[in-house]
Amino acid sequence: MITTPYSQIVQVEQIASHTSTENIAEIIALAQAEQLTPASQDRRRILLLAIDVQNDFMEGIGTLPVSGSKGDVERLTQWIYRNTAKLTQVMCSLDCHSVHQIFHASWWVDASGNQPSPFTIITHQDLLDGKWIAADGTQAHSLDYLKALEKGGNKQLCIWPYHCLEGTKGSKLESEFTKIVYYHATARKVTPQFIYKGQNPITEMYGIIKAEYAGDNYINQPILDAIEAYDEIYIAGEASSHCVLASVSQIAEYFKENREITARITLLTDCMSPIASFEESTHQAFQALSKQYGIQLKTSSQVTL
């Protein structure tokens, strides 16, 4: 039984704000006063996989804001709080980029030396036609990459606003979410896990398991091992239409021969939001994953551990 009020841990009005403060020492002290069973003693092991709950994806403060993200964080922090005594582990993925990556404007110029605007779509044919030129001698790779994307039926290459640049405030976990992560970890005597993604400059990486196309067959094995090790896996984060959907799809594909594992996964549907105009396609994609792999779709209020 938790004795600390939720409001002492998370200030809802400060979610996705420039004024949120993280007195982590105070949060740790509050959590240390709780008398909860250590997570190591859990008979039923339960994992929360929080995907990219970072400042740059927060409405009002981010460079690539997702509408609805503030409410998502409120509901997700409340869910963690209510279930702290049973939730074994929180694993957070963190998008992490440099300025010069293939989906950022600095990678490209037109014939006049102008860089593309955010949200420009660049195709293989655009390069063949000379509409866009890859800077710094990467034209050959860029041609191969775009051709492979289109051949594989992957997302088109989109030029995203600069976001989650390594070391910037935008790349950090949202502050109020950070508080509940460390509160849970301290109260349950477990170390939260942080998994970085998206650092390879020559490819996009929406999903947490592998890049859109890299040619090296890299997979993020620690996450797959965690999925296999836990009895229940809950997934939330931003944006549902891109990084969450890609992550769930990759996990499901990896375990496609073992529905017993994929059926352990539940998406907390009210703790994630899509990028605008992707609402219906995201809904349909999640319904298909649920039907094919037994992945459950529930709101946070429908799940009590």
Side-chain angles (χ1 to χ4, degrees):
M1 181 71 178
I2 293 178
T3 59
T4 306
Y6 169 80
S7 59
Q8 274 193 262
I9 307 166
V10 175
Q11 281 69 57
V12 170
E13 70 280 1
Q14 296 296 316
I15 293 173
S17 74
H18 291 294
T19 55
S20 176
T21 57
E22 298 174 17
N23 189 335
I24 296 298
E26 180 180 330
I27 296 298
I28 290 172
L30 289 170
Q32 286 174 333
E34 304 289 0
Q35 301 295 316
L36 299 183
T37 304
S40 60
Q41 296 181 26
D42 287 353
R43 288 190 173 184
R44 188 157 188 82
R45 291 169 50 76
I46 301 172
L47 172 70
L48 170 65
L49 178 54
I51 296 174
D52 300 359
V53 187
Q54 294 166 269
N55 286 328
D56 268 344
F57 299 123
M58 294 294 112
E59 55 190 339
I61 63 171
T63 61
L64 187 50
V66 179
S67 180
S69 54
K70 184 172 182 177
D72 296 336
V73 172
E74 179 179 352
R75 288 181 288 273
L76 183 56
T77 55
Q78 290 173 342
W79 184 84
I80 295 171
Y81 174 80
R82 292 195 305 271
N83 293 289
T84 290
K86 296 289 183 66
L87 180 61
T88 308
Q89 177 63 280
V90 177
M91 176 183 283
C92 303
S93 75
L94 292 161
D95 220 21
C96 185
H97 304 311
S98 60
V99 171
H100 196 61
Q101 297 203 221
I102 200 166
F103 48 80
H104 281 158
S106 66
W107 192 273
W108 304 95
V109 292
D110 63 15
S112 300
N114 301 307
Q115 295 181 350
S117 301
F119 306 108
T120 298
I121 300 298
I122 297 180
T123 68
H124 182 252
Q125 191 62 47
D126 287 339
L127 267 67
L128 294 177
D129 294 342
K131 183 176 180 180
W132 295 108
I133 302 166
D136 301 330
T138 58
Q139 183 78 356
H141 166 78
S142 300
L143 274 165
D144 290 344
Y145 179 74
L146 289 171
K147 184 176 182 179
L149 280 187
E150 295 171 13
K151 182 179 179 181
N154 300 59
K155 293 180 177 68
Q156 291 180 300
L157 176 65
C158 179
I159 301 303
W160 298 108
Y162 293 109
H163 65 284
C164 296
L165 296 182
E166 188 171 12
T168 66
K169 186 174 181 179
S171 67
K172 285 180 71 276
L173 284 181
E174 193 283 326
S175 293
E176 299 302 313
F177 179 71
T178 301
K179 294 178 184 180
I180 201 71
V181 168
Y182 278 96
Y183 182 85
H184 166 271
T186 303
R188 299 300 316 280
K189 297 179 175 60
V190 66
T191 301
Q193 293 180 283
F194 300 98
I195 305 293
Y196 289 86
K197 70 180 182 71
Q199 294 169 298
N200 187 344
I202 63 173
T203 181
E204 300 153 286
M205 189 174 181
Y206 294 109
I208 57 177
I209 303 303
K210 61 181 181 179
E212 289 296 285
Y213 176 76
D216 60 1
N217 298 315
Y218 166 81
I219 60 171
N220 204 331
Q221 195 63 47
I223 295 178
L224 295 171
D225 292 342
I227 296 292
E228 194 165 7
Y230 283 84
D231 301 297
E232 297 177 30
I233 302 98
Y234 295 88
I235 298 179
E238 306 301 343
S240 60
S241 54
H242 286 68
C243 295
V244 176
L245 176 56
S247 298
V248 176
S249 298
Q250 290 172 359
I251 291 167
E253 173 63 21
Y254 184 84
F255 291 111
K256 63 183 178 181
E257 303 301 330
N258 195 338
R259 189 183 172 102
E260 188 275 327
I261 292 179
T262 58
R264 302 174 191 171
I265 299 171
T266 298
L267 306 187
L268 298 175
T269 57
D270 63 338
C271 299
M272 59 179 76
S273 295
I275 290 176
S277 80
F278 286 88
E279 294 86 353
E280 184 57 30
S281 61
T282 303
H283 173 75
Q284 292 176 1
F286 283 151
Q287 291 293 327
L289 286 167
S290 178
K291 182 178 180 179
Q292 184 174 359
Y293 298 104
I295 292 169
Q296 300 178 65
L297 309 175
K298 295 183 179 181
T299 64
S300 58
S301 62
Q302 293 174 316
V303 177
T304 300
L305 303 182

